[in-house]
Amino acid sequence: MTSIKQWAYTIFSFCFFLVAALFLTILGFLLLTLGGKTAKHKEKYHQILQTVSKFAINHVPGTSFTYQNDQNESFKTPSIIISNHQSHLDLMGIIMLTPKLIILTKNWVWHNPFYGFIIRYADFFPMTDKEQMLNDLHKKVNEGYSIMIFPEGTRSADCRILRFHRGAFYLAEELNLDIVPILIKGFGEVLPKKSFHLYPGNMSLEVLPKINRKDIADLNYREVTKKVHQLYIERIREKVCHHR
């Protein structure tokens, strides 16, 4: 049964999300539509998006958040960033890592009525025409941006690691980029896939050792997909999410 406190947490967070989405949409219009889509304005927008995401993740009511980066990864060099996927909160957890980030999304996310404008202002790409997408991503990499994709393609309902799709590893091969794996835990406990309620819990985000492109040069992207998938299975400890 959902408690009054959980309802209060959920309503508060939803209101915060709406206000933040409205703010970022208006900011995008003023900065990028009226001000012009210059490289400077784009970077400024990404920096503000990162700040808002960082604040939101660190202030989800009834939760704690831990960030672990033993690798001292600066994210200054373009790479392919991947992560397991548990919750709608994952996206903000990833955005807070670096302002120089382009996230590949599904078409419905790109056209979402609540935050679709934000996605488009940030130049996050829908996964559509492969040839055109590669051309666009090459340009972004040359501008210093990393590319992020969730290899599972969808949120895991019970936090198990789902089958990895090959797209991220195909891009690593095509763009000749290293891979930075991110491991998230607890996000699916706090906001489960099939729930609109927030639950108390502990969330964590860990930066795993970078996979150097030279170390996997002899493997094709299909083989790399299997190896990295196994890495996640071995690193995740919670087999399932324990929802209330």
Side-chain angles (χ1 to χ4, degrees):
M1 181 179 294
T2 305
S3 68
I4 295 177
K5 182 181 289 188
Q6 285 173 268
W7 273 107
Y9 285 169
T10 301
I11 293 171
F12 172 82
S13 297
F14 182 70
C15 289
F16 174 84
F17 169 78
L18 288 180
V19 171
L22 181 61
F23 164 73
L24 289 167
T25 299
I26 294 174
L27 177 67
F29 177 76
L30 295 175
L31 188 64
L32 298 170
T33 300
L34 297 183
K37 296 181 180 180
T38 65
K40 183 178 180 180
H41 287 170
K42 286 283 187 181
E43 188 164 345
K44 184 65 175 178
Y45 189 75
H46 276 255
Q47 289 171 347
I48 295 172
L49 184 57
Q50 179 193 27
T51 299
V52 171
S53 296
K54 186 174 183 179
F55 179 87
I57 288 296
N58 281 280
H59 292 85
V60 178
T63 72
S64 65
F65 175 72
T66 303
Y67 175 59
Q68 185 176 346
N69 186 4
D70 295 338
Q71 317 306 317
N72 295 317
E73 175 61 50
S74 66
F75 298 100
K76 291 182 179 179
T77 302
S79 60
I80 297 294
I81 299 175
I82 62 172
S83 174
N84 56 315
H85 201 7
Q86 297 180 352
S87 168
H88 278 306
L89 296 173
D90 300 349
L91 200 59
M92 288 186 291
I94 297 298
I95 291 173
M96 64 176 279
L97 293 174
T98 173
K100 301 289 285 187
L101 184 67
I102 299 297
I103 298 178
L104 299 187
T105 70
K106 291 184 176 180
N107 285 334
W108 72 264
V109 175
W110 211 70
H111 294 288
N112 186 280
F114 291 106
Y115 49 81
F117 282 108
I118 301 170
I119 298 297
R120 294 193 288 276
Y121 278 133
D123 279 343
F124 294 172
F125 293 152
M127 291 180 283
T128 52
D129 181 75
K130 185 170 66 174
E131 185 175 347
Q132 181 60 48
M133 184 178 69
L134 277 174
N135 291 333
D136 292 337
L137 293 180
H138 270 293
K139 293 177 183 177
K140 287 300 179 182
V141 169
N142 290 335
E143 293 172 8
Y145 284 87
S146 290
I147 311 301
M148 191 277 156
I149 186 170
F150 292 106
E152 292 166 290
T154 187
R155 290 164 290 150
S156 174
D158 61 5
C159 299
R160 299 178 193 270
I161 301 297
L162 304 178
R163 181 177 71 88
F164 276 12
H165 297 279
R166 299 168 182 168
F169 310 99
Y170 167 78
L171 288 177
E173 184 174 70
E174 289 293 314
L175 300 173
N176 195 30
L177 295 176
D178 297 336
I179 300 170
V180 178
I182 305 297
L183 179 67
I184 61 171
K185 296 181 182 179
F187 284 62
E189 292 270 5
V190 172
L191 183 60
K193 179 177 182 178
K194 297 181 180 180
S195 175
F196 292 103
H197 297 292
L198 285 172
Y199 296 90
N202 303 311
M203 299 183 292
S204 68
L205 187 152
E206 180 183 359
V207 181
L208 301 180
K210 179 181 291 185
I211 301 171
N212 192 293
R213 184 64 202 144
K214 294 180 181 178
D215 295 336
I216 55 176
D218 295 333
L219 303 176
N220 61 45
Y221 65 90
R222 293 178 177 84
E223 294 170 319
V224 177
T225 303
K226 293 179 181 178
K227 289 178 68 70
V228 179
H229 181 255
Q230 187 59 38
L231 167 69
Y232 271 86
I233 290 177
E234 293 172 356
R235 291 299 297 261
I236 199 79
R237 297 193 179 184
E238 297 85 357
K239 293 184 178 180
V240 295
C241 292
H242 303 289
H243 301 143
R244 288 76 172 175

